[in-house]
Amino acid sequence: VAFVVVHGPRSGSPSSGGGTLAAHSPDGHPLENLTPQWLPPRQRHDGVAHNPHEHSFDGRARMYVEIAETQRLYAGFASRTPMSHRVLKQVPVTLIRDMFLELSASTGFGAGEFSKDLLDAVGKDIGVVRDRRAAFLGKLVDLIAKTVGDMSIVDELRPELLMTDVLLRNRLLRELYRAAAGTSSGLYA
C-alpha cells in the first residue's frame, strides 16, 4: 500500500479549489476578464431545470409513472439516445427531435415532413427559437394525430402546454413511438 503525502496546506492553493484566481494564463497572457463577479458562484446552482412536479408527493409519483412507462415502451428500440431517468425528468425538445429522427430513419415515419431548417432550429438557443420549437412540436403532434387517427391528441398536447409540462412531453414521446410502430412492423408497441 502506498500513500501520497501532500506537503503544505491544501486549502489555500488554486489547484485545490481554494485561493485566489490566477492573474495570468499558463502562456503568460493577462486574464483581466476573469473577475470573481464574472464567474458563477460555487455550489449555488442546480444542475437541472426546474420541475414543478417534484414539489409534492403526488407530482413525483405521477412523474415516476410517466417516466417508467416511457422507458418500458422504448426498452425494445435500439436507440443511440439514452432514455435515462434524469433525461426523462426534463425531456428537452431536442430529445423529442432526436427520437423522431431515429424513429423516422428506422421506420420511415414522418420522412420528409419537416424542413431541415426547422429541425436544426430546435437545437439552437431557447431564447432565439422558442417559437420554432413550438412550431416543431405542433407539427409533430398533428402528424401523430393523423397517423393514429385520434385528433383529440391535438387538443391534449398543444405546443404551449408541451413547452411547460414534462408529463405531457413524456406522453408525446410515447405517442410518437406508437405512431412510428404503426407504420412499421420493425417496432413492437
Side-chain angles (χ1 to χ4, degrees):
V1 176
F3 294 97
V4 176
V5 178
V6 177
H7 298 287
R10 292 184 50 166
S11 62
S13 68
S15 64
S16 67
T20 59
L21 296 171
H24 298 323
S25 68
D27 60 355
H29 291 85
L31 298 173
E32 304 92 25
N33 295 337
L34 294 179
T35 62
Q37 295 82 18
W38 180 80
L39 294 173
R42 292 183 182 173
Q43 300 175 348
R44 293 189 184 161
H45 62 84
D46 190 10
V48 296
H50 171 71
N51 188 337
H53 298 288
E54 288 196 337
H55 297 297
S56 71
F57 179 77
D58 291 338
R60 277 194 306 274
R62 279 194 320 242
M63 184 174 57
Y64 278 72
V65 167
E66 293 287 327
I67 290 170
E69 284 296 312
T70 304
Q71 287 177 325
R72 181 192 61 78
L73 192 62
Y74 278 90
F77 179 62
S79 172
R80 59 188 167 99
T81 305
M83 295 296 245
S84 67
H85 179 85
R86 184 177 180 149
V87 171
L88 292 176
K89 275 177 68 174
Q90 299 301 319
V91 188
V93 178
T94 54
L95 174 69
I96 297 170
R97 179 207 53 198
D98 293 346
M99 291 312 300
F100 166 74
L101 291 173
E102 284 190 42
L103 288 167
S104 180
S106 64
T107 64
F109 171 72
E113 291 288 326
F114 295 91
S115 68
K116 183 174 178 350
D117 291 338
L118 182 60
L119 291 172
D120 289 343
V122 171
K124 295 191 177 162
D125 184 27
I126 185 85
V128 177
V129 293
R130 186 171 177 85
D131 57 334
R132 298 292 297 235
R133 288 183 178 192
F136 166 74
L137 291 172
K139 193 169 180 179
L140 182 61
V141 169
D142 287 341
L143 178 64
I144 292 169
K146 289 176 187 169
T147 302
V148 299
D150 183 8
M151 295 310 284
S152 67
I153 294 173
V154 175
D155 292 331
E156 296 166 5
L157 300 176
R158 293 191 312 269
E160 61 271 9
L161 296 175
L162 285 168
M163 295 291 281
T164 60
D165 192 349
V166 68
L167 300 179
L168 292 177
R169 291 194 300 270
N170 268 284
R171 180 173 172 212
L172 176 63
L173 280 174
R174 290 193 308 274
E175 296 292 345
L176 171 62
Y177 185 90
R178 289 181 184 116
T183 60
S184 170
S185 60
L187 297 176
Y188 302 102

